[in-house]
Amino acid sequence: MVNRPILVRGGHVVTGDPRLGELPGADVLVSGDTIAAVGHGLQAEGAEVIDASGHVVMPGLVDSHRHVWQSAIGGAGGKVSLGGYFQVVLAGLLDKYEPRDVYAGVLWGALQAVNAGVTTVADWSHIVTTPEHADENVRALRDSGIRAVFLYGPPWARA
């Protein structure tokens, strides 16, 4: 399979580079996993062209503290305090999670992140109650395509 370059054309490019600043109506050429060029009127024969007119084009965001496994239980805790979180999520749900639940929650959460423009996460995972839980967490991160650092620790100690 040959990957064609991608030319993102005509967007409002937020470069993050103080020398370039913002470039309205600009193009971004991506070759493989590298931004090859940024500017106006770029050409790339054979490239897949994405019309970004009327859209913002910017580097992906990095989330440095996310418990990705919890994405599927977004409303379970409601409006609770930190102590309530410990009671509802860690004491109430954690031991009910099977490895397949971890996979589903992490995949869902990673895809939600990508959809929101987050391309890299530090996944603080405290659902590693067994090696299989950890394996499924990592497998879901890989399957989602997000860049991730898998940070793990034991679940909340129960009395």
Side-chain angles (χ1 to χ4, degrees):
M1 176 180 194
V2 176
N3 289 332
R4 297 183 337 181
I6 299 171
L7 181 60
V8 181
R9 182 167 308 285
H12 186 105
V13 178
V14 178
T15 68
D17 182 334
R19 293 174 292 132
L20 295 175
E22 294 186 22
L23 303 171
D27 308 329
V28 177
L29 177 61
V30 180
S31 181
D33 62 359
T34 302
I35 296 174
V38 177
H40 292 93
L42 298 180
Q43 300 298 317
E45 187 154 334
E48 176 185 349
V49 177
I50 298 172
D51 181 8
S53 302
H55 297 277
V56 173
V57 179
M58 60 185 273
L61 303 172
V62 176
D63 185 335
S64 64
H65 188 130
R66 189 175 284 225
H67 302 277
V68 184
W69 73 271
Q70 294 179 357
S71 299
I73 58 171
K79 295 179 181 178
V80 298
S81 65
L82 182 58
Y85 162 80
F86 291 134
Q87 185 65 31
V88 171
V89 175
L90 297 183
L93 295 175
L94 188 125
D95 62 346
K96 294 168 183 61
Y97 257 64
E98 295 181 15
R100 66 182 180 174
D101 301 321
V102 174
Y103 178 85
V106 171
L107 183 61
W108 173 246
L111 293 174
Q112 282 179 318
V114 169
N115 188 55
V118 175
T119 58
T120 305
V121 295
D123 179 14
W124 294 85
S125 181
H126 47 18
I127 188 68
V128 289
T129 53
T130 70
E132 291 78 19
H133 284 75
D135 290 345
E136 289 302 283
N137 196 125
V138 171
R139 185 170 74 91
L141 290 170
R142 284 187 179 146
D143 288 353
S144 75
I146 199 165
R147 285 178 291 202
V149 176
F150 176 63
L151 306 165
Y152 63 93
W156 188 261
R158 290 190 255 302

